[in-house]
Each structure stands twice: as structure tokens, then as C-alpha cells.
Amino acid sequence: MYTMYRHILFSVLIVLLFEINSNLADNWAVLVAGSSEWMNYRHQADVCHAYQILHKNGIPDSNIIVMMYDDLAHHLRNPTKGIIINHPKGEDVYHGVPHDYTGKNVTPQNFINVLLGNKEILQGVGSGKVLGSGVDDNVFIYFTDHGAPGLVAFPHGVLYAKDFNQTITTMYNQKKYKNLVIYIEACESGSMFEDILSDKINVYGTTAANAEESSYACYHDFERGTYLGDVYSVVWMEDSDVEQLNKETLFQQYTITQQKTNTSHVMQYGDINLAKSHNVSEFQGLQKWNTSKYNVLVDRYNNLLRRDAVRSEDVRIEIIKHRLAAAKENSIEKIELENELNQLYNDRNRISNIIYDIASTTLSFTGEYNLKMITDQRMKLTEHDCYISITQRLHEKCFDIQNEFVLSKLYVMVNLCENGFDNTIIKQSVDQVCQQRIHFDF
């Protein structure tokens, strides 16, 4: 009898200890919009919306770190000063958003230092807030901006897949989390994880696109003259707005997002079992009284609205086309917009020609002549060191590689590296083609 009571008491203590441990565990989140300016409105709107979800669901601001340029709310073109929306009929998502890292402080290195909890390094930079998570805590990272093979862009600089995954591994080794979930909205965002992210370190990631395709913007707003959201992002967030997140697994949210994102291939990486065994609420928090309910008519309406989706690299052109369609015939505005559109096409052609010439020059140095294979195919990135070196040289000598159209052409640099061309020879080609660095107004 005594032995039986002792076993019962032991079991009760185990349950109590588990509950105490669960109560002591925290949720942490890092939300990043890697772009700036009005044409990229949607990225900061996405991040603001994500903040509202986490805040509403009880995650304290002390545990939410936000990085965004913060140049929209009071922008000259904003018809509703101090307000940012993520849906044509949406409410303000800007109110209350922490201004942890803004403007020039939105950088890849600051992002890495935030994730690694390097408080001393960030002293005097922005709010200085860093992840204070530990071995019992769940961490959620959401990033939205432009991307290319093996990288995502920031206003000044880029974050490479190799560096990001090394940071994740360091976080794991330093016991910075119990489970880590990462959502990435960017073109070719699958390349940030594909064949790199381990499935053994309690990390689960989903991306807006596979490693070879564009992600898509949506919700064009005529009053603001820009796109308010990105397809993958608004789909997962609109799901989080109405679902009972303690009854929906991460895998279920991924499946819903994959089904509704019909513009690109939403992908998942890392520990898939984590996604199937953990609920969304464990990473995005849980609202005690969810006043928002799923509405089939609203869902259908949003699906219809997202039919205006366009590739991220074409957003700038589509915005000008919308404004041109609304401009009066023979007006000064229409003439200026036509000139702006022509300049944009000229700039894109110039970028394409420079990338083509770099590939052609590299092949001429080596006696290889299969140029079409280099400029037309899309090879999987495995030669990360070569790619990092070449794209940095391109940035130094030619133009900003954060430019969304430049990003869409960086697969050519991947192909050069993957075909075994010597790093030094490719750099010589860059130097020969780019005698003078070019600045584009976008």
C-alpha cells in the first residue's frame, strides 16, 4: 500500500513540476521588415500586423523585438498619417508597435546580434533589446522583404543563408530556445533553408516560395498607390487572426497557407515532427477571448482580392501602371509617370546586360562558350563561399544588390559558381565589366 501511495505522489509531483516549468517558460519573437520606402509598403505592414497578433495573444512587448525602417506612417504619400494597414479594408496595424531598431539600425549584423543575445554589442543601438530566451522558451522569427538564392535583403546589406544557419546552430548550442519557428516571406526564400537547415536542432521553418521562384505581393490600394501585403504573409496572418491557435498545429497552418497561396510554392523545412506535435499558440501566443471568428464570406472575399497578386520584382512597374491608368490624358502627371516607367525599363535592361556581360566575360577567360546554360538555367546553390564572395564584389563594383531586379538576376552568379569557374576569374570579370559603380533610384 505504501509503495502504491508513493508512486501516486511521485506522479503528482511530476505533473506539478511540468506545469510549473510550463508557466516559467516564455514566448519570444523577432519580427523583421528588411526594406524601406513607399513602394515596399507591404513589408512593414506585414510586420506590424504580425506584431498585433502576438501582442493580442498575450506576448509582452518586452519579449517582442521589432526591426523595421519606420518610414511609412508619416510618409508624404500616406493619406492617413500615423496609420498603416495590411488589407484594403483593414484596421490600423501600426499603433503600439515597438520601435526597437529603425532606419540605419535595421542591418543583418544587428539582427544576428539580437538573435545571439549580444546585449553589450548593441548597447546604445536602438532599444538595445535582444533575445533573452533560454532552454525552456519558444522563439518565433518572422522576416519579410526581397530575396535571392541564398540570401535575404536588408535596407543596407544582405543576410546570407550560410550566416543565418550558422547563427541558428549557435543559438541551439547556447541553449537559446526550446523550439524555434521561422517564417520567411521573400523571393527564392526556400534557398535560405534547403539542404542547409538541420532537422535535429528543434527548428521548423516555412517559406513563401521555393528556392527558385518569386514570392508575390497583393492587395493593391488605389488611394495609397501601393501594395498592402504579400500573399503568403497575409494568408498565415489572416488564419492566425481567426483560428483557435491552441487547437491548430503549426503543420495545419502550413497546410492552410500552402493551399491558399496559389502564386508560389509555400515550403517547409527542418523538424517536421515539431510542426505536427506543437500548436501555433506555443509560438504566437493565445488570446483568452478570441472575438474574431472564421467567416466563409470574408475568406472568399480575401481570396478574390488576392487575385491582383504580382511578382515582387514587378511591383514597382505595376504600381506605376496603375497610376498611369488613373492619370488624366496629356496631364503633367501622366507624362512624368510615362517617363518614370521608361526609365525603369531602361534601368532593368541595363542591369540585365551587365549581368549577361559578366557571365560572357567569365566564359571568354576560360574558353567555355555555353553561355545560354549560365544565363537561362537555375542551378541549386551549394558553393556558398564562392557566391558570397562574388555577390559582395558585384555590390562593391557594380550596384546595390538589394535592388529587387538585381536580386532576380543573381541566379546567374550561382550558375557561375556551381559550374566550377574560379572565384578570382569571376571577380576579374566583374571588375572589367563594371568600370564605374551605378546608382539606381530604386
Side-chain angles (χ1 to χ4, degrees):
M1 183 69 72
Y2 172 75
T3 303
M4 184 182 70
Y5 282 130
R6 189 170 62 178
H7 282 305
I8 292 171
L9 180 61
F10 181 74
S11 299
V12 170
L13 283 172
I14 290 293
V15 172
L16 286 173
L17 284 171
F18 177 80
E19 289 183 355
I20 289 169
N21 187 57
S22 297
N23 290 332
L24 290 175
D26 283 332
N27 283 102
W28 288 80
V30 181
L31 311 176
V32 184
S35 67
S36 61
E37 67 142 336
W38 193 254
M39 291 277 190
N40 291 317
Y41 181 107
R42 63 196 186 277
H43 299 135
Q44 294 184 61
D46 290 339
V47 156
C48 289
H49 187 174
Y51 163 78
Q52 298 299 339
I53 290 169
L54 304 186
H55 179 76
K56 177 189 71 175
N57 290 348
I59 301 179
D61 285 1
S62 59
N63 289 23
I64 304 174
I65 301 161
V66 178
M67 303 184 79
M68 68 177 197
Y69 209 82
D70 196 28
D71 57 346
L72 301 183
H74 300 283
H75 195 281
L76 289 173
R77 291 179 61 183
N78 191 348
T80 54
K81 295 292 187 287
I83 292 175
I84 295 174
I85 59 175
N86 196 218
H87 185 280
K89 296 185 180 297
E91 298 178 350
D92 173 37
V93 292
Y94 182 69
H95 65 279
V97 175
H99 293 61
D100 292 308
Y101 298 92
T102 60
K104 65 180 182 180
N105 292 324
V106 182
T107 68
Q109 193 55 54
N110 285 346
F111 175 55
I112 288 173
N113 284 325
V114 164
L115 296 183
L116 295 179
N118 292 333
K119 202 172 185 68
E120 296 78 14
I121 295 175
L122 291 174
Q123 191 170 5
V125 179
S127 69
K129 198 179 353 176
V130 299
L131 273 183
S133 52
V135 68
D136 295 319
D137 302 328
N138 288 332
V139 176
F140 176 64
I141 298 172
Y142 169 55
F143 179 95
T144 174
D145 187 27
H146 298 290
L151 65 84
V152 289
F154 279 71
H156 304 288
V158 298
L159 175 66
Y160 288 99
K162 180 180 178 180
D163 296 331
F164 187 37
N165 282 272
Q166 285 177 345
T167 300
I168 293 169
T169 301
T170 301
M171 291 173 69
Y172 175 75
N173 291 334
Q174 294 180 355
K175 303 186 187 315
K176 293 288 185 184
Y177 62 84
K178 181 179 181 181
N179 295 298
L180 171 61
V181 169
I182 307 167
Y183 288 3
I184 300 181
E185 170 77 63
C187 292
E188 296 158 300
S189 44
S191 64
M192 292 299 288
F193 295 137
E194 187 173 89
D195 296 332
I196 314 174
L197 181 64
S198 170
D199 61 357
K200 309 296 185 186
I201 57 175
N202 303 337
V203 179
Y204 174 69
T206 76
T207 62
N210 64 26
E212 301 177 355
E213 66 187 350
S214 176
S215 63
Y216 281 68
C218 65
Y219 292 162
H220 179 265
D221 183 78
F222 285 95
E223 183 182 12
R224 289 165 180 80
T226 192
Y227 287 84
L228 304 179
D230 293 283
V231 177
Y232 158 87
S233 291
V234 299
V235 168
W236 79 255
M237 286 189 282
E238 288 169 6
D239 177 69
S240 289
D241 281 333
V242 299
E243 287 289 346
Q244 290 183 278
L245 300 185
N246 60 332
K247 296 181 179 180
E248 179 180 69
T249 65
L250 291 162
F251 184 76
Q252 286 172 322
Q253 181 160 88
Y254 158 75
T255 302
I256 290 168
T257 306
Q258 184 187 49
Q259 289 171 347
K260 292 185 178 180
T261 304
N262 56 10
T263 48
S264 59
H265 297 86
V266 174
M267 305 297 288
Q268 61 176 345
Y269 301 94
D271 188 347
I272 309 303
N273 288 328
L274 186 159
K276 293 179 177 179
S277 60
H278 290 271
N279 292 327
V280 177
S281 60
E282 295 175 57
F283 300 88
Q284 296 179 25
L286 178 63
Q287 188 181 19
K288 291 182 179 179
W289 298 279
N290 191 354
T291 55
S292 301
K293 301 291 183 183
Y294 174 79
N295 184 311
V296 65
L297 294 178
V298 171
D299 189 45
R300 287 176 181 171
Y301 174 67
N302 290 340
N303 287 337
L304 285 172
L305 284 180
R306 288 194 295 272
R307 289 184 179 179
D308 71 350
V310 297
R311 297 189 309 171
S312 288
E313 63 264 35
D314 294 333
V315 162
R316 203 171 295 268
I317 284 175
E318 293 303 317
I319 286 174
I320 296 173
K321 286 181 177 179
H322 279 298
R323 292 177 64 193
L324 264 172
K328 293 180 179 178
E329 283 297 327
N330 301 319
S331 65
I332 294 175
E333 180 190 16
K334 194 174 186 72
I335 293 169
E336 289 177 344
L337 286 169
E338 286 172 344
N339 290 336
E340 187 177 351
L341 186 61
N342 287 332
Q343 183 62 53
L344 192 54
Y345 280 127
N346 288 337
D347 288 344
R348 288 168 68 124
N349 286 333
R350 195 174 182 188
I351 290 166
S352 295
N353 289 336
I354 288 171
I355 297 293
Y356 181 93
D357 288 346
I358 290 170
S360 178
T361 303
T362 301
L363 268 62
S364 70
F365 281 152
T366 61
E368 298 285 343
Y369 296 99
N370 194 355
L371 183 60
K372 189 172 179 61
M373 180 185 73
I374 299 295
T375 56
D376 291 1
Q377 292 184 8
R378 287 180 178 266
M379 301 185 71
K380 182 179 291 188
L381 174 62
T382 62
E383 298 294 331
H384 289 272
D385 290 337
C386 171
Y387 178 67
I388 291 170
S389 177
I390 297 310
T391 51
Q392 283 301 298
R393 187 62 152 250
L394 194 69
H395 181 76
E396 177 189 347
K397 295 290 187 179
C398 302
F399 32 58
D400 287 348
I401 60 171
Q402 303 97 298
N403 177 296
E404 65 261 28
F405 192 69
V406 174
L407 290 168
S408 74
K409 296 297 180 182
L410 291 186
Y411 71 90
V412 176
M413 301 298 113
V414 173
N415 292 346
L416 289 173
C417 289
E418 294 300 325
N419 274 281
F421 292 105
D422 187 81
N423 192 321
T424 305
I425 290 177
I426 306 173
K427 284 183 177 179
Q428 287 177 355
S429 300
V430 172
D431 294 347
Q432 182 172 318
V433 171
C434 298
Q435 299 289 323
Q436 185 175 359
R437 197 174 191 276
I438 305 166
H439 172 74
F440 296 106
D441 292 328
F442 70 100

